[in-house]
Amino acid sequence: MNRALLRLLTSISILVFSICGAASASVSPSVQGTVKDAQTGEPLPGASVLLLGTSLGGSTDLNGKYTIKNVPPGKYTARATYIGYKSSTADIEVKEGTILTQDFSLEAVGIQGQAVIVTAQASGQNQAINQQLSSMQITNVVSAARIQELPDANAAESVARLPGISVLRTGGEADKVVIRGLDPKYNEVTINGVQMAGSDASDRSVDLSMISSNMLEGIDVTKTVTPDMDANVIGGVVNYDLREASMENPGVPKFSLLAQGAYNGLSDAYNKFNNYKYAASIENRFFNSRFGVFAQASLERRNLSDNELNAGYFANLQDPVNSYSVQNVQIDDIARDRLRGNGVVALDYKLPDGRILLSNFFSSGSTKTDDRQQFYNIAAGDVQDFNAIRTNGTLNTVTNLLSYEQQAWIFNVKAGLSHSYSETRDPADWTVSFINGSAGIPSSLRLGTNVDPKDIVKSANNNVNTSLLYTVQTQYTFTRERDFGGSLDLDTHLNLSDEITSVIKFGGKYQHQTRSYNTDFIDGESFTYASGAGIIKELAHAFPWVQTSADSTTILMASVSDPNFSYGKFLGGDYTMVHPLDFSRLQSMVDYMNAHQINQNINYNYDIGNSGQSDYSGQEDISAAYVMATVHIGPMVTIIPGVRYQQLRTDYLALQGERGPNPYSQYVAQTDTAITYHHYWLPDVLVRIKPTDWFDVRLAYTNTLSYPDYASLAPIVVVNLTANQIQWNGFELNPMRSTNYDAYFSFYDNTIGLFTVGAFLKQITDLIYQYTFTPTAAELVNYWPQWMTPPTGLRKGPTVAEYINNPYKINDYGMELDWQTHFWYLPGPLTGLVLNVNYTHIFSKAQYLVPLVTNQRTGESVPSGYYDPLLYQPDNIVNLTIGYDYRGFSVRVSSIYSAKIFTTPSQYPVIRASTSAYNRWDVALKQELPVQGLAVYCNLNNINGANDISVISSPNAVPRSEQSYDFMVELGLRYQL
């Protein structure tokens, strides 16, 4: 951390806490209170309270409380407004040195003469609308009421239907969020404002499937940052607020229970009915409501099995726009069983002018996967592989926050200490491969152009008698990240007049992060050759069911076929899988081989090369300081200017070396350390103009960053002359930068609800990606470890795969439309209708470098490039949700439609890939039972059986990938008191 910045933050801390300790007993005049539903007494978060004729005002928090500070003495008219409710006014008088309490009870809008009942879905929508309107940033909100109205599978699913959002799925369950078409690693995920530790081995993304939606108070997706926010976020910030003890009925404990079972329609490998979820919570407040305790635990098991297709293609260089050849085809039947548990413990203590909060989030999940795979290696000839892959990974995460907030003299002080930890363990994943070297695939398909991969799969002979054991590999991986952070924020009111008021805010943060990745391989190849006879004979002796070839040099696949397993109708019957492998027998083989390694044996031993070349460890120090102001000019205009200074220091350690022809014993390497330092000044300006009570405009100019992935920062260099390749990591990479422009127009009232039209432009520089080229002999010395001597006599070097910063600027722009309303003004039962619909269109054009090409006219080598969208960028997404509540019954029908999402870049147009049109329908039902607080619910997910399909840009649009995870039915019981 920069010493000058550290001294500055330390001085500020000493000054502030000295002021706190010496603060006088004088009280600046202010107005505070609560805003509640007049009928139910429920708090209304996001309600606006304004002193008419001035710029003084505030909005309510999640408990419906508001505070307006530094109010000059005098008489005022206070007005409380909340979309979905009638506004209310009160005449008040503020006196010098006093705090005036003014509560509001608002009545829900309704047809005159009829009883007004705000339904569950309308309540959730009202909260989301008002919290979104009360935010100074461009934000989308999933309110607490909306989360709790019907349970989503996880936290990623809870934000999946917001505008500008798409998700990545595994086995049909969302696990990562894409904001405005930007890769999940460009987003920041926080819990109570604390950044979660990354869970991916190579990048900074977070697996959101580990967060249960039941323990959340609310979710907000912030698309524009202010200077008091971390700038390491080009896409957006997804913040999950954990629940705290309710302020309602202090001293009376509240309980909630949830129990559900589920049916998965795809796989028999794990019981289709063996899906469940249990959650229980308890909360209470003590000592006159000052001390609150909330605790929740959940346990869940989900069958996330799916069928998958993946295909690789070569472009025909004579016609790279229309003509291709098939490189390989892979089909997988994946049985995936996920067991996960979550826990939250939140303790808070209310101070007279502040509070102390200790929140703790824990998550642990294990995923067992049995993958039966058929692989058609067309590039290698007439080859078919039968592979069995077993993984059993565990992901553990912990996030802790201790925060202190206190009004002291003229300052509101907020200080925080945080800790976040993530570890991913795969203790013994293994792959066993059998090879059929004469698969019977005709040369017309292997060498032909514009071939459908279905025809290749259909043509294979699938001969179990000629399929022989080829490779066995066991892999152990461990990824770990730990973050410690501290922050200090101070703000104070500076009012020039009743018409011009402001809040000056400044502060900073410091974060220290450690990160490591370790992998170990035990593997063997070419068991079809005589050199593997030693271990083969041992296996045949240990297991009577092992069948070997006539010369006892290899194992026949027939030994491990499972006649009791059925693939069913794989991918709708378009492809055929045969000869399922028996995982119990294969597990026995793998365990035996791991326990009986043959030292220095080329067939089965510790793989020193693969094991060491990708390992890394290191640390990062991020520090920042900022200053900003929120200036209100009358009730119409708010301006938020500010600047943030943010810096990053990285220190990573990795191996640099040369692979030999025998990977089990020949890997000559030395460790190297790479230290980099980056710092930036990041100015931001946000403006909100509210000319009427029903319309506002929000404009934003912001600057953000994205730090390089861990795998590219680590100084890894691998020279493999046997394969004629060099891996060279970009450990001197610059962070990506983005200059962002946003404009949003919102229309709202009790009839419209909220209708928003927005547009954005992101100008991205220094995009990081991997660039592969062949250097000249002179250039080769720049890609060789310093302690090694390059070979002589080369006219050009091996192929180099290097991470680089894109020298071209990229424009990512789009528009978002969002309409949220409920039809309270319709007659009779139709008052229970609720509508949410949004549309997103995004366009991006990125220019990528390709290897040097020769100018035919001059003979000079010049850089060339191609244009593609950004990865995961959607063209069009439409989300539609129609809800209906009638008395104790609730139904929600929702649809996701995407016309095209970019999935595979390439310099050759024919093999670029995007998703084909995708339309998924879900239905959620809930019925309250006669027992207070008890309800039964049913979720029908993907009822139309939509598949995720990606196709290449060829005229016949053959698939690049496909996932089929069928439908799921969840039936549950929930009790909340």
Side-chain angles (χ1 to χ4, degrees), residues 724-939:
N724 202 35
Q725 296 174 345
I726 296 176
Q727 176 188 350
W728 183 274
N729 278 20
F731 33 89
E732 295 182 353
L733 290 167
N734 292 320
M736 289 171 52
R737 295 197 63 179
S738 180
T739 302
N740 314 294
Y741 304 88
D742 291 82
Y744 267 67
F745 306 86
S746 299
F747 306 83
Y748 43 90
D749 68 15
N750 287 333
T751 302
I752 295 174
L754 174 62
F755 180 75
T756 303
V757 180
F760 65 88
L761 168 63
K762 294 179 178 291
Q763 295 182 325
I764 300 171
T765 57
D766 285 334
L767 176 74
I768 299 169
Y769 68 102
Q770 195 170 50
Y771 171 65
T772 302
F773 70 104
T774 303
T776 64
E779 294 171 326
L780 184 60
V781 295
N782 299 321
Y783 297 95
W784 213 266
Q786 293 183 357
W787 61 272
M788 294 175 59
T789 302
T792 58
L794 294 176
R795 288 190 298 175
K796 62 179 181 179
T799 299
V800 174
E802 177 190 15
Y803 289 97
I804 66 170
N805 287 113
N806 194 332
Y808 307 114
K809 182 165 63 176
I810 298 168
N811 289 328
D812 175 39
Y813 56 92
M815 61 175 294
E816 299 168 355
L817 282 76
D818 185 26
W819 185 29
Q820 305 175 56
T821 189
H822 74 276
F823 300 97
W824 58 269
Y825 47 84
L826 294 180
L830 297 179
T831 59
L833 281 172
V834 177
L835 174 68
N836 292 272
V837 60
N838 58 72
Y839 166 73
T840 302
H841 173 73
I842 302 176
F843 180 81
S844 62
K845 189 176 184 180
Q847 184 176 359
Y848 298 90
L849 282 175
V850 297
L852 297 178
V853 298
T854 301
N855 186 308
Q856 298 300 320
R857 183 175 60 83
T858 65
E860 296 178 335
S861 293
V862 296
S864 180
Y866 66 95
Y867 294 91
D868 263 347
L870 292 168
L871 189 63
Y872 304 126
Q873 180 242 296
D875 280 2
N876 300 285
I877 292 181
V878 179
N879 290 309
L880 171 67
T881 301
I882 300 175
Y884 178 70
D885 292 332
Y886 182 70
R887 296 183 180 177
F889 174 73
S890 175
V891 60
R892 182 178 63 183
V893 179
S894 55
S895 169
I896 298 176
Y897 174 81
S898 61
K900 184 179 180 182
I901 297 177
F902 189 65
T903 58
T904 308
S906 173
Q907 69 186 87
Y908 304 112
V910 69
I911 57 177
R912 296 169 186 167
S914 301
T915 61
S916 57
Y918 175 85
N919 189 199
R920 167 177 167 156
W921 288 87
D922 303 317
V923 177
L925 305 161
K926 183 182 71 173
Q927 176 63 59
E928 295 179 1
L929 299 178
V931 179
Q932 182 181 359
L934 190 63
V936 62
Y937 62 87
C938 178
N939 296 330

Side-chain angles (χ1 to χ4, degrees), residues 444-459:
S444 60
L445 296 178
R446 291 187 284 110
L447 305 177
T449 59
N450 295 2
V451 172
D452 193 317
K454 294 179 185 177
D455 297 330
I456 291 174
V457 175
K458 291 177 181 178
S459 69

Side-chain angles (χ1 to χ4, degrees), residues 508-718:
K509 66 166 282 186
Y510 171 71
Q511 177 177 304
H512 176 74
Q513 173 182 300
T514 57
R515 175 84 183 190
S516 64
Y517 172 77
N518 177 263
T519 183
D520 291 292
F521 287 90
I522 300 174
D523 60 10
E525 298 183 359
S526 303
F527 285 114
T528 54
Y529 299 102
S531 57
I535 193 69
I536 299 300
K537 289 180 179 178
E538 289 188 32
L539 288 170
H541 177 75
F543 303 107
W545 41 262
V546 168
Q547 302 175 35
T548 63
S549 57
D551 57 1
S552 300
T553 58
T554 190
I555 294 176
L556 304 180
M557 194 176 80
S559 303
V560 290
S561 291
D562 186 354
N564 299 316
F565 184 90
S566 172
Y567 286 114
K569 197 173 183 180
F570 185 86
L571 283 179
D574 291 335
Y575 299 85
T576 302
M577 293 199 73
V578 296
H579 308 312
L581 298 175
D582 188 325
F583 272 84
S584 61
R585 288 190 172 186
L586 292 175
Q587 183 72 65
S588 299
M589 284 177 50
V590 170
D591 291 343
Y592 183 89
M593 295 176 74
N594 287 337
H596 297 80
Q597 296 178 48
I598 304 174
N599 291 331
Q600 305 299 315
N601 182 271
I602 197 170
N603 279 96
Y604 203 72
N605 195 37
Y606 179 76
D607 186 337
I608 187 174
N610 280 322
S611 296
Q613 69 181 35
S614 298
D615 293 354
Y616 65 84
S617 63
Q619 61 184 24
E620 297 185 0
D621 293 280
I622 301 173
S623 51
Y626 72 90
V627 61
M628 59 181 284
T630 302
V631 182
H632 301 284
I633 304 175
M636 292 178 54
V637 179
T638 301
I639 304 174
I640 307 178
V643 64
R644 184 179 184 88
Y645 175 78
Q646 186 155 317
Q647 59 184 20
L648 168 71
R649 182 185 184 275
T650 63
D651 184 348
Y652 279 91
L653 179 72
L655 288 174
Q656 298 183 350
E658 181 179 5
R659 294 279 303 273
N662 181 358
Y664 308 105
S665 58
Q666 298 175 357
Y667 182 51
V668 182
Q670 293 185 10
T671 58
D672 191 30
T673 299
I675 300 175
T676 60
Y677 176 81
H678 303 279
H679 58 95
Y680 297 94
W681 289 96
L682 304 166
D684 300 325
V685 179
L686 286 80
V687 178
R688 186 179 73 175
I689 304 172
K690 187 179 179 182
T692 72
D693 290 340
W694 51 266
F695 171 66
D696 71 41
V697 179
R698 300 177 191 226
L699 308 173
Y701 164 79
T702 58
N703 288 272
T704 51
L705 307 167
S706 180
Y707 297 139
D709 293 338
Y710 304 111
S712 60
L713 278 173
I716 297 171
V717 177
V718 181

